[in-house]
Amino acid sequence: MKNNFYLDLAKKYGTPLYVYDGDVIARKFNQFKAAFKVKSLKIHFAAKALTNLAILRLFKELGAGLDCVSIEEIKLGLQAGFDPSDIIYTPNGVAFSEYEEAIKLGTKVTIDNLPTLEKIGIHYPNLPIFIRLNPHLMAGGNSKISVGHIGSKFGISIHQLPNILRLVKKYSIQVEGIHVHTGSDIIQVDIFKRVAELLFSIADQFENIKSIDFGSGFKIKYRDSDIYTDIQLIGSQFATYFNAYCEKRKRDLTLRFEPGKYLVSDAGVFLTQVNVVKLTTACTFIGVNSGFNHFIRPMFYDAYHEIENISNPEGEKKMYSVVGYICESDTFAEDRLINEARENDILLFRNSGAYCYSMSSNYNSRLRPAEVLVLKGKDYLIRERESFDDLIRHQNIPVVKNWI
Ligand SMILES: *Cc1c(COP(=O)(O)O)cnc(C)c1O
């Protein structure tokens, strides 16, 4: 979308503001779908990346399923119109009562530890379930983003496969599918292939399995030099392995994925306004009307986000550090060349669709931003800006006679 359109939206709705381009989301979803040519494919959007009800509805309209990691996300999915059977519940470390609630609501559940598997066997022996495995494979050797390594809390270790099989046999548990989400970056086809081969060999142990869920890990570009998942390439090669495995088993298994970031990250931008341009002896800061309370990725993950001054696109490029208004060192970007910034200019942060609004908070008692969805050039307010009333809604000052 054109920067002038974003300027108009900033004027219309105020800042800070999240804007999502629904047409981009649809294009990414359809590209993803087209990349994997298998008989049965189901793409579950990982709700935690961007949980706004309107976004969830858009995914429903696109024919996606949902991947939820909490009972609240499930309820949001149902509210958005999803059929419970299109929702996969993939939590970790939750109480058994939460699984029971998800089962009652009719979602598919993925079991991520042995004690829970045993409880399923005792209480729900006929319920078809998914089992989350930890294959202990790491892509690229970056342990920070991998959840598949040996010390990871996620999934049941493949070394405990005998324990899984023992419980499955003892209680006649119905294993409908197996699941991995390594969290690793899926860039190289060969690593993906290794995970697949491992999973196929495990799948061989389960006679009635109907689907295999490969989670996510699809990487997008935050800057031009970033390596990213070539979905066409990965998809076509992966489909070949998968189809060969189906042929071997003489059964059409459903291939499932749970992308979050890949589908929504570059569909979103975050708009902030320049409060102050502050020259110090070391550098020039641009202070904006937001902070890590609204946009935590640079501080939390050292994430890089492109930042543009859309109010002054012809302005001379200068070196700036862009910082927030929170009473902590909340730096969005250091030493960036940005068109000259002046008070009240609008800065646009790219790749703000995934894990941005959904990780926001009220720290410093600041109000959370509004969210806008654009569909075919028309803008819709999909979440109102918070008000001071929202902030105090659930707080009470007790009625006490003698406080001290
Ligand atoms: C977070 C998560 C995803 C989505 O990961 P992305 O990197 O956003 O694609 C998928 N599956 C599970 C189980 C997750 O926890």
Side-chain angles (χ1 to χ4, degrees):
M1 287 188 293
K2 290 264 171 19
N3 285 347
N4 278 342
F5 184 59
Y6 286 123
L7 281 175
D8 289 346
L9 294 179
K11 200 173 286 171
K12 180 170 176 186
Y13 297 104
T15 58
L17 182 72
Y18 279 100
V19 182
Y20 311 113
D21 186 336
D23 302 340
V24 172
I25 293 175
R27 193 178 71 228
K28 297 290 295 261
F29 179 81
N30 289 325
Q31 270 171 2
F32 194 103
K33 203 168 111 181
F36 295 88
K37 292 192 172 45
V38 297
K39 281 234 177 74
S40 175
L41 175 71
K42 190 82 194 178
I43 301 161
H44 296 260
F45 171 57
K48 73 178 188 286
L50 183 59
T51 37
N52 188 294
L53 287 172
I55 301 291
L56 300 184
R57 168 60 70 89
L58 173 59
F59 276 109
K60 175 175 160 26
E61 298 294 329
L62 287 167
L66 218 54
D67 172 61
C68 296
V69 294
S70 69
I71 197 75
E72 289 79 6
E73 283 185 358
I74 290 176
K75 290 175 185 171
L76 287 172
L78 296 175
Q79 189 90 24
F82 278 94
D83 192 285
S85 64
D86 284 333
I87 298 178
I88 293 193
Y89 176 53
T90 317
N92 70 91
V94 302
F96 191 66
S97 57
E98 195 169 307
Y99 278 102
E100 294 196 287
E101 209 180 333
I103 292 165
K104 209 176 277 167
L105 290 171
T107 69
K108 296 189 191 301
V109 298
T110 303
I111 308 299
D112 134 294
N113 60 77
L114 291 169
T116 302
L117 185 61
E118 177 140 35
K119 287 192 189 118
I120 289 284
I122 294 167
H123 301 287
Y124 303 91
N126 299 316
L127 181 79
I129 54 138
F130 283 65
I131 293 178
R132 179 170 183 174
L133 294 158
N134 186 335
H136 306 304
L137 281 173
M138 268 199 299
N142 183 351
S143 66
K144 199 168 169 188
I145 39 107
S146 172
V147 293
H149 64 89
I150 198 90
S152 157
K153 71 167 183 168
F154 296 99
I156 306 176
S157 166
I158 46 161
H159 303 310
Q160 291 173 312
L161 188 59
N163 309 45
I164 295 174
L165 293 171
R166 197 157 36 79
L167 289 174
V168 166
K169 189 154 175 243
K170 180 172 174 192
Y171 298 104
S172 306
I173 296 171
Q174 308 294 311
V175 181
E176 175 183 347
I178 51 176
H179 172 284
V180 283
H181 168 66
T182 65
S184 304
D185 298 341
I186 299 173
I187 303 160
Q188 292 147 294
V189 181
D190 53 332
I191 287 165
F192 204 25
K193 187 179 173 202
R194 267 169 58 204
V195 175
E197 277 166 357
L198 190 65
L199 222 56
F200 293 153
S201 73
I202 292 168
D204 282 339
Q205 319 264 328
F206 298 94
E207 202 145 326
N208 298 315
I209 203 171
K210 292 200 187 82
S211 83
I212 302 184
D213 185 332
F214 283 91
S216 183
F218 302 97
K219 212 172 140 59
I220 53 119
K221 253 202 237 196
Y222 283 87
R223 56 181 133 189
D224 278 346
S225 58
D226 280 351
I227 39 174
Y228 62 99
T229 308
D230 179 341
I231 205 75
Q232 258 79 30
L233 182 71
I234 293 264
S236 71
Q237 303 210 9
F238 189 80
T240 317
Y241 311 140
F242 191 80
N243 289 332
Y245 182 69
C246 291
E247 198 140 304
K248 184 184 147 211
R249 286 202 62 158
K250 304 206 175 355
R251 168 179 297 187
D252 287 326
L253 298 168
T254 299
L255 174 61
R256 292 179 197 269
F257 289 106
E258 304 162 347
K261 182 181 281 185
Y262 183 87
L263 297 177
V264 294
S265 179
D266 46 9
V269 299
F270 183 47
L271 303 174
T272 65
Q273 188 165 346
V274 177
N275 280 344
V276 64
V277 180
K278 183 171 170 180
L279 189 70
T280 70
T281 44
C283 66
T284 308
F285 290 106
I286 302 176
V288 299
N289 63 347
S290 181
F292 78 75
N293 51 326
H294 299 151
F295 194 96
I296 203 173
R297 289 179 36 77
M299 274 93 8
F300 201 36
Y301 299 119
D302 283 331
Y304 179 98
H305 287 261
E306 209 60 70
I307 299 178
E308 287 168 43
N309 181 359
I310 58 172
S311 298
N312 192 17
E314 304 298 326
E316 189 192 341
K317 293 240 180 193
K318 294 189 170 170
M319 195 70 94
Y320 293 105
S321 286
V322 182
V323 295
Y325 58 15
I326 291 294
C327 291
E328 305 251 357
S329 290
D330 55 344
T331 305
F332 293 119
E334 268 181 317
D335 300 335
R336 293 281 184 86
L337 277 174
I338 296 173
N339 297 105
E340 181 175 19
R342 306 151 307 181
E343 271 179 35
N344 301 323
D345 278 356
I346 301 295
L347 298 193
L348 177 148
F349 294 46
R350 294 220 174 269
N351 284 101
S352 304
Y355 306 105
C356 289
Y357 189 93
S358 66
M359 292 180 93
S360 65
S361 76
N362 287 118
Y363 187 47
N364 277 202
S365 297
R366 294 289 183 181
L367 308 173
R368 271 177 287 205
E371 293 177 291
V372 166
L373 173 64
V374 180
L375 287 171
K376 299 194 173 74
K378 192 165 158 31
D379 50 292
Y380 303 88
L381 182 64
I382 57 171
R383 189 192 302 265
E384 287 171 31
R385 187 175 302 286
E386 276 182 337
S387 66
F388 184 71
D389 282 344
D390 293 324
L391 208 57
I392 58 174
R393 176 154 297 136
H394 299 293
Q395 304 187 50
N396 301 302
I397 300 175
V399 182
V400 178
K401 206 158 180 201
N402 300 308
W403 279 79
I404 45 168

